């Protein structure tokens, strides 16, 4: 017996961030067994070994301790329900979760980002668990982000990165405002740029932009989105719309002849590139929509007249 508080120890072990796997096997009478495990580890490349630790508390413990073959399935982000099913569902777990049998009749979980079919290399008792070492005979893997587990909770690196990418400090929203053969621009110490405003609510960009420009005395018809990109360096999301003005330029804006657009200095390379594309496309009034970041992206065809 140990003097250590097992609950505190379990919490301390849980500080280690892991992925989540489902370990499966088939008993000699053909019954399929599976449980969720984060005790998985790779062990050796030559021979190709991995391990997982089934606990003695499992209703299927003996089936895993004695098995000659088993499989380890590394779950993908979004497969929390699969993990929960194989951790606590008391009925037929395999009827709940799409799966496919491997060449040896062991279930593989569909959508797992890696699947390892193994023969048992060694099965060692270790306290209240068994160390089940498998020799990998076949495996699959994909680029999809995995499901994470830490401190008793699931997490998703892929999704968290995507959210981080979106938590830019501000959204800059601007308009390429055409009026006769001119475009309205603002001049700043760093160069020219389309009239723009800093906005907070990404759900009302068009409305807020139109109102802000009207306050500056520019009454316009806002058209299609023209360029949407993230500038990671400046932690800024940018959205520019095509527009036509109903009258003279607003405060702080000047009407620049369209033919002069390629000759100007702009505030950033991304804006310079957008204005070069605009001056080309304005000739045929056949515009595309740019989606990407400040350096790379795609122009999607969009024939739109404003
Ligand atoms: C994220 C997570 C990781 C787990 N890791 C293990 C593990 O490594 N070994 C283990 O024996 N049980 C582990 N469990 C618990 C078992 O999945 C759970 O006790 C088992 O599915 C119960 O099955 P049973 O109803 O057949 O006894 C884990 C559970 C979760 C949610």
């Amino acid at each position: 017996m140990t003097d250590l508080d097992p609950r505190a120890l379990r919490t301390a072990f849980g500080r280690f961030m892991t992925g989540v796997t489902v370990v499966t096997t088939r008993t000699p009478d053909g019954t399929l067994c599976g449980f969720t495990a984060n005790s998985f580890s790779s062990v050796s490349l030559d021979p190709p070994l991995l391990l997982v630790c089934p606990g003695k508390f499992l209703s299927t413990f003996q089936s895993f301790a004695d098995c000659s073959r088993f499989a380890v399935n590394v779950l993908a982000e979004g497969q929390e329900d699969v993990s929960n099913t194989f951790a606590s569902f008391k009925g037929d777990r395999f009827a709940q979760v799409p799966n496919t049998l491997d060449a040896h009749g062991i279930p593989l979980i569909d959508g797992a980002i890696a699947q390892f079919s193994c023969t048992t290399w060694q099965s060692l008792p270790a306290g209240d668990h068994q160390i089940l070492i498998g020799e990998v005979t076949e495996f699959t893997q994909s680029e999809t982000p995995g499901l994470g587990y830490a401190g008793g909770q699931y997490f998703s690196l892929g999704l968290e990165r995507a959210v981080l990418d979106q938590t830019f400090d501000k959204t800059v929203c601007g308009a390429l405002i055409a009026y006769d053969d001119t475009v309205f621009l603002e001049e700043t110490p760093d160069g020219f740029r389309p009239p723009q405003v800093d906005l907070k609510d990404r759900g009302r960009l068009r409305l807020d932009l139109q109102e802000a420009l009207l306050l500056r005395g520019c009454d316009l018809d806002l058209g299609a989105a023209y360029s949407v990109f993230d500038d990671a360096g400046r932690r800024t999301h940018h959205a520019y719309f095509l527009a036509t003005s109903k009258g003279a330029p607003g405060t702080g804006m000047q009407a620049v002849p369209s033919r002069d657009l390629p000759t100007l200095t702009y505030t950033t390379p991304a804006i310079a590139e957008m204005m070069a594309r605009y001056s080309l496309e304005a000739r045929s009034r056949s515009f595309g929509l740019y989606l990407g970041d400040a350096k790379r992206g795609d122009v999607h065809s969009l024939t739109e007249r404003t």
Side-chain angles (χ1 to χ4, degrees):
M1 278 296 267
T2 168
D3 292 340
L4 302 177
D5 173 359
R7 285 176 62 184
L9 183 60
R10 180 204 290 254
T11 305
F13 281 158
R15 296 280 167 227
F16 184 58
M17 280 190 264
T18 67
V20 182
T21 70
V22 168
V23 186
T24 57
T25 193
R26 167 188 291 267
T27 62
D29 73 1
T31 307
L32 303 181
C33 312
F35 71 102
T36 298
N38 65 345
S39 55
F40 166 80
S41 177
S42 57
V43 174
S44 161
L45 283 177
D46 189 13
L49 301 179
L50 56 73
L51 71 78
V52 68
C53 301
K56 288 192 173 157
F57 50 81
L58 296 178
S59 66
T60 52
F61 172 74
Q62 215 52 51
S63 305
F64 282 99
D66 297 341
C67 70
S68 58
R69 296 203 72 98
F70 66 97
V72 177
N73 302 268
V74 180
L75 299 186
E77 71 175 18
Q79 288 193 306
E80 289 90 339
D81 53 341
V82 176
S83 172
N84 291 335
T85 298
F86 279 91
S88 55
F89 188 70
K90 293 300 171 206
D92 180 358
R93 295 175 175 179
F94 294 94
Q96 306 295 312
V97 170
N99 65 91
T100 314
L101 299 182
D102 72 6
H104 316 280
I106 311 290
L108 299 175
I109 304 298
D110 293 358
I113 59 168
Q115 302 164 318
F116 302 98
S117 295
C118 305
T119 54
T120 301
W121 197 74
Q122 220 172 338
S123 183
L124 299 166
D128 52 17
H129 280 63
Q130 190 84 357
I131 303 176
L132 185 60
I133 305 178
E135 177 163 4
V136 179
T137 53
E138 293 98 28
F139 70 96
T140 66
Q141 67 95 27
S142 78
E143 299 287 313
T144 315
L147 179 62
Y149 195 72
Q153 291 193 318
Y154 298 112
F155 67 92
S156 268
L157 266 190
L159 290 179
E160 261 141 56
R161 276 198 200 114
V163 170
L164 262 188
D165 284 352
Q166 284 173 18
T167 51
F168 286 115
D169 299 331
K170 61 178 180 179
T171 296
V172 170
C173 194
L176 288 94
I177 309 167
Y179 184 63
D180 289 339
D181 264 338
T182 67
V183 176
F184 296 171
L185 296 177
E186 298 174 342
E187 192 169 14
T188 77
D190 296 325
F192 286 88
R193 67 184 186 198
Q196 59 184 48
V197 285
D198 292 357
L199 296 177
K200 288 214 166 55
D201 185 351
R202 280 175 76 170
R204 334 178 349 124
L205 292 185
R206 292 170 62 90
L207 217 58
D208 288 353
L209 175 66
Q210 189 149 20
E211 277 177 13
L213 293 177
L214 190 59
L215 277 178
R216 288 171 61 180
C218 192
D219 192 5
L220 46 79
D221 286 320
L222 214 49
Y226 185 64
S227 190
V228 179
F229 60 91
D230 291 328
D231 188 337
R234 292 181 172 80
R235 297 196 56 71
T236 316
H237 177 72
H238 293 256
Y240 293 91
F241 293 87
L242 296 169
T244 46
S245 175
K246 295 178 186 164
T251 314
M253 306 173 197
Q254 50 186 280
V256 176
S258 298
R259 64 176 179 279
D260 293 347
L261 293 178
T263 65
L264 302 180
T265 300
Y266 292 97
T267 47
T268 67
I271 299 238
E273 216 163 289
M274 176 175 74
M275 295 312 299
R277 178 167 72 89
Y278 179 85
S279 70
L280 273 180
E281 294 178 349
R283 284 183 213 156
S284 57
R285 300 209 48 78
S286 170
F287 297 107
L289 166 64
Y290 175 88
L291 293 174
D293 60 28
K295 294 192 182 113
R296 264 199 320 265
D298 295 315
V299 176
H300 301 259
S301 96
L302 158 93
T303 303
E304 174 80 10
R305 286 168 185 275
T306 59

